[in-house]
Amino acid sequence: MQNPTTIDYVILMDAAGRRSIRRAVDDQDEYIRVVTPPFLFYILYDNDFISRREFCEACGELLEREGWTGYSAVKAAWEAIPIDCSDILDDNLLP
């Protein structure tokens, strides 16, 4: 993400919660930025709470467990994350 200071809240939730957030965002006339769940791990990494390996493995596990293994989902998950995990994760979990 280009400007992490623009984030006011970080919320981790299940699929039903994410659908509710998407509906609420779609109903708004104003711009609301929603980041993908792997970005939450990036915040931990960027603040030295986890290592690069831990970051990559956590992202890979999240993508697999949530079933986000399609090309578009994987691409969106990594869009704002400037870390190369190609030496740690399988190619199917990388953009």
Side-chain angles (χ1 to χ4, degrees), residues 16-79:
R18 288 190 299 273
R19 280 191 299 276
S20 295
I21 292 293
R22 278 192 211 101
R23 279 193 303 272
V25 169
D26 289 343
D27 291 342
Q28 299 293 319
D29 289 333
E30 62 188 78
Y31 179 74
I32 299 173
R33 180 181 299 251
V34 178
V35 297
T36 60
F39 188 76
L40 305 176
F41 296 131
Y42 177 71
I43 292 171
L44 294 174
Y45 168 79
D46 195 44
N47 287 283
D48 296 321
F49 289 110
I50 61 175
S51 68
R52 185 178 75 87
R53 175 168 288 284
E54 290 170 317
F55 165 79
C56 293
E57 289 174 350
C59 287
E61 186 175 327
L62 175 71
L63 292 171
E64 286 182 330
R65 284 190 179 189
E66 292 290 326
W68 299 334
T69 54
Y71 175 78
S72 295
V74 169
K75 184 179 176 192
W78 293 103
E79 190 171 286

